[in-house]
Structures are given as structure tokens and as C-alpha cells.
């Protein structure tokens, strides 16, 4: 049986959640200003508070990192879903939907490079902590799998191919960020879509053996 909480305690829940969200926003702004190697002093300064207050809401640096990753993941997944849905409604083409999803992923890197570096390189993540980036990759892979399945109608195969496409995009995207050569986002989107789709177009739904 759950203990009944005093209203004097529960009424602060909303306030704590709001303050926590504000600190996450401040942390992201600090990353943008100081780079992926941002320190807790920088985060506290951006939030207009002290490190003690930041730790009160997140316990440690890893807690703050995970919270930032969750916020970035939510933004990215929302954007990818919106882009894919728009392409589906406009064209009904799985090819266009894959291209839209790839472009939405690359958008984060182009528009928020230091935040992407911070999330992917996991500078504050302790061993044994659930990796938000891996969780994000899983969510995106599952969503791409749904797009592919709409064309091939084989959920298990689509899942494998969907996660394969995500790995392809992430590998090329990380190289694009680390070693810029003048390639634009539109060019990289087109190249990756062509590579992914050429491979997918040649696949056939495997026959089921009784």
C-alpha cells in the first residue's frame, strides 16, 4: 500500500520538474557556447545558479548528461517522424520517406554540432549507466523499419534493414562532422539515400519455409 503524500510535499513536484527542465535547457545552451567539453561551472553559470543546485536536481554529472540526451533524443525523433510523415503524405513514396528521415538526422549535426558531439561522445557517462544514445538509435531504427516495412511487408526483415540504414547514416554523419570536406547536407542526404535505396531496392522478401 502506497503511503499518502502530504500536499505540502507533492505540490512542489511540478515546480521541481519545471526547474529540472530549465536546467537541461541551460546545459544545452552551455554546450553550444563552450563546446562538447563543457564543465559544470559553465552549466551553473548559464542557469544563473550554483553547481550545488544543479547537483540537487541531477545527483551527478552523469544524471545531467542523461537528461540532456533524453531532451535531444525527443527533439530528433519528433523531427524525424514529422519529416517522414510529411514525405509520406506528399508523395506516398518510401524512397522519399527514407530521404526525409536521413535529412532530419543530418539536420541536428548541421544545426547543433557541439550538442551532437556532446551526446554521441558521452563525456559524462559512467560505466553501467544506460546509454541514451543507444536507446535513441533503437527508436530511430524501429521507425525506419516501419517505413521499409510499408514497402516490403516483412516486419522482421524490415527491422534488420532499418537498423542497418541507421548505422550507415550515423557512420557517414560522424565522418562528415569530424572531417569536413565541403560536402553539403543536401549532398550527403542524396548520397546516403541513393546507397541505402539501391541496396533496399534489390532486396526481395524471403520465402517462408514451412
Amino acid at each position: 500500500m502506497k503511503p499518502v503524500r502530504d500536499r505540502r510535499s507533492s505540490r512542489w513536484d511540478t515546480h521541481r520538474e519545471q526547474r529540472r527542465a530549465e536546467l537541461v535547457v541551460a546545459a544545452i545552451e552551455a554546450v553550444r557556447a563552450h563546446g562538447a567539453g563543457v564543465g559544470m561551472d559553465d552549466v551553473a553559470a548559464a542557469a544563473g545558479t550554483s553547481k550545488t543546485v544543479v547537483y540537487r536536481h541531477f545527483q551527478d554529472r552523469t544524471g545531467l548528461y542523461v537528461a540532456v540526451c533524453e531532451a535531444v533524443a525527443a527533439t530528433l525523433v519528433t523531427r524525424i517522424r514529422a519529416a517522414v510523415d510529411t514525405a509520406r503524405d506528399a508523395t506516398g513514396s518510401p524512397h522519399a520517406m527514407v530521404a526525409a528521415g536521413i535529412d532530419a538526422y543530418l539536420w541536428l549535426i548541421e544545426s547543433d554540432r557541439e550538442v551532437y558531439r556532446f551526446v554521441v561522445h558521452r563525456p559524462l557517462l559512467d560505466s553501467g549507466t544506460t546509454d541514451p544514445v543507444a536507446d535513441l538509435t533503437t527508436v530511430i531504427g524501429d521507425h525506419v523499419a516501419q517505413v521499409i516495412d510499408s514497402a516490403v511487408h516483412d516486419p522482421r526483415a524490415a527491422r534488420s534493414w532499418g537498423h542497418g540504414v541507421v548505422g550507415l547514416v550515423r557512420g557517414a554523419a560522424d565522418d562528415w562532422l569530424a572531417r569536413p570536406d565541403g560536402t553539403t547536407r543536401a549532398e550527403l542526404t542524396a548520397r546516403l539515400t541513393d546507397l541505402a535505396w539501391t541496396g533496399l531496392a534489390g532486396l526481395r522478401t524471403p520465402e517462408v519455409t514451412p
Side-chain angles (χ1 to χ4, degrees):
M1 183 175 180
K2 290 185 178 180
V4 178
R5 298 187 63 198
D6 190 300
R7 283 189 178 183
R8 288 172 296 180
S9 174
S10 61
R11 69 182 179 180
W12 291 105
D13 287 351
T14 299
H15 172 74
R16 282 191 288 266
E17 290 175 4
Q18 180 179 358
R19 183 55 176 152
R20 182 182 169 91
E22 291 171 351
L23 291 172
V24 169
V25 171
I28 292 174
E29 291 302 324
V31 171
R32 288 171 177 155
H34 302 282
V38 65
M40 292 298 289
D41 286 327
D42 299 319
V43 173
T49 188
S50 66
K51 287 195 295 184
T52 301
V53 171
V54 176
Y55 285 132
R56 185 184 304 155
H57 287 274
F58 297 99
Q59 295 186 339
D60 55 23
R61 291 162 61 93
T62 299
L64 177 61
Y65 169 78
V66 170
V68 169
C69 286
E70 289 173 347
V72 173
T75 298
L76 183 54
V77 170
T78 297
R79 189 174 185 91
I80 289 174
R81 285 175 175 164
V84 170
D85 289 346
T86 298
R88 181 194 61 215
D89 294 342
T91 68
S93 164
H95 179 281
M97 293 162 68
V98 170
I102 291 173
D103 184 68
Y105 186 97
L106 296 179
W107 161 85
L108 174 65
I109 301 177
E110 184 176 65
S111 64
D112 243 342
R113 296 192 173 210
E114 290 305 317
V115 171
Y116 181 81
R117 284 191 177 102
F118 179 82
V119 168
V120 171
H121 294 168
R122 339 191 218 311
L124 309 180
L125 193 63
D126 292 336
S127 59
T129 304
T130 299
D131 184 353
V133 178
D135 290 346
L136 172 60
T137 301
T138 298
V139 171
I140 296 174
D142 288 347
H143 195 63
V144 174
Q146 293 174 14
V147 174
I148 295 173
D149 186 48
S150 67
V152 301
H153 306 296
D154 184 336
R156 289 189 300 171
R159 177 178 172 182
S160 299
W161 296 331
H163 284 268
V165 169
V166 171
L168 165 73
V169 174
R170 180 174 171 182
D174 286 351
D175 180 71
W176 181 53
L177 177 62
R179 301 189 301 173
D181 61 359
T183 298
T184 66
R185 184 177 109 205
E187 289 172 335
L188 185 57
T189 295
R191 290 172 188 170
L192 293 177
T193 302
D194 286 344
L195 177 58
W197 196 255
T198 298
L200 291 171
L203 295 173
R204 295 291 182 268
T205 304
E207 295 182 5
V208 178
T209 303

